[in-house]
Amino acid sequence: MFKIEYLTDSKGQLKGVVIPIELWRKIFLEFPQSYNELLDNFEDYCLNKAMDEAKQTPLLSKEEALKFLNEE
């Protein structure tokens, strides 16, 4: 697990984020050429991570899924 650090100013306002280089390399295999490529790479990383986590989560039955949806 990677520890992401948040930088704040003297008033507590968020000013930046420190991302460990190992995580940076996982997200960006190549340095993106544009802002849109940066966003696309980050989105791909997040979606892949969510898919990996979902594979480790037990599936709900139809009844359990409907109950969960009705609770929200």
Side-chain angles (χ1 to χ4, degrees):
M1 182 103 185
F2 298 104
K3 183 178 178 191
I4 297 174
E5 297 178 46
Y6 298 92
L7 305 175
T8 58
D9 63 15
S10 60
K11 296 179 184 177
Q13 298 295 317
L14 186 61
K15 292 294 178 183
V17 179
V18 177
I19 300 173
I21 195 67
E22 298 89 17
L23 178 56
W24 179 267
R25 288 182 178 139
K26 282 186 172 196
I27 295 171
F28 310 109
L29 299 177
E30 297 181 12
F31 194 79
Q33 299 298 314
S34 71
Y35 179 74
N36 286 334
E37 282 183 291
L38 177 70
L39 291 178
D40 288 344
N41 287 349
F42 190 69
E43 181 179 1
D44 289 346
Y45 171 80
C46 291
L47 289 172
N48 286 333
K49 184 172 178 175
M51 294 290 286
D52 291 342
E53 290 175 7
K55 289 177 186 176
Q56 298 174 6
T57 304
L59 295 177
L60 298 176
S61 67
K62 179 180 178 181
E63 293 78 21
E64 292 169 324
L66 290 172
K67 181 180 175 188
F68 174 79
L69 291 172
N70 288 328
E71 289 176 358
E72 291 189 7

